[in-house]
Amino acid sequence: MVQQVTRGIKISVETTYEGSFYKNYKIQYAFGYTVTIENQSKDSVQLNARYWEILDALNNVETVSGEGVIGKKPVLKPGESHTYSSGCLLTSPFGAMQGHYSMVNFTTTKNFKVTIPTFKLSAPFAIN
């Protein structure tokens, strides 16, 4: 598990290898990840958007951005957390993801970014 705190918002990420399959004559490696967003600040906040960079071992980079997470824009009061799971496909058995969430602080009405720490994706059979 990797963790990082930005402006009182703690991000924790756990990953899993889900398996591989062929799609369009290319092997795809499926990974899952579970993110917990914990508000350790004294203000209520809302997650409005996400931005991801997904890297594979072949130096391919895919960027993904959009509103909320899994169709939600969670509001977190102090001490509350939100957990969700998602996944990605890679063309290699190794890779990594990193990014940030765009959030708003309800007390100051200011927008701010929360760093999602870089986490590794690796198929267990490929680990040296």
Side-chain angles (χ1 to χ4, degrees):
M1 176 188 301
V2 296
Q3 298 179 326
Q4 184 166 335
V5 179
T6 307
R7 295 179 136 193
I9 308 301
K10 181 179 180 181
I11 305 298
S12 304
V13 185
E14 289 188 70
T15 63
T16 56
Y17 173 67
E18 303 291 336
S20 61
F21 62 94
Y22 282 93
K23 179 179 177 183
N24 298 330
Y25 304 104
K26 290 185 178 180
I27 192 162
Q28 300 283 303
Y29 299 90
F31 296 91
Y33 57 89
T34 299
V35 179
T36 299
I37 305 159
E38 183 181 346
N39 185 357
Q40 298 179 336
S41 77
K42 59 181 177 33
D43 300 323
S44 292
V45 299
Q46 182 175 26
L47 187 156
N48 290 319
R50 71 194 182 288
Y51 173 84
W52 289 104
E53 289 180 353
I54 305 167
L55 306 98
D56 71 14
L58 305 172
N59 281 333
N60 296 316
V61 179
E62 179 184 355
T63 59
V64 177
S65 60
E67 290 190 8
V69 289
I70 314 295
K72 296 180 181 175
K73 292 183 176 180
V75 174
L76 301 172
K77 295 176 184 170
E80 290 184 340
S81 65
H82 177 79
T83 300
Y84 72 95
S85 295
S86 191
C88 69
L89 296 175
L90 298 181
T91 55
S92 67
F94 294 107
M97 289 179 67
Q98 63 187 15
H100 67 265
Y101 296 121
S102 296
M103 304 186 87
V104 64
N105 179 313
F106 285 151
T107 302
T108 65
T109 68
K110 294 195 188 244
N111 293 310
F112 65 102
K113 290 182 180 176
V114 173
T115 301
I116 303 166
T118 301
F119 56 93
K120 294 180 181 175
L121 304 166
S122 57
F125 65 83
I127 294 175
N128 192 340

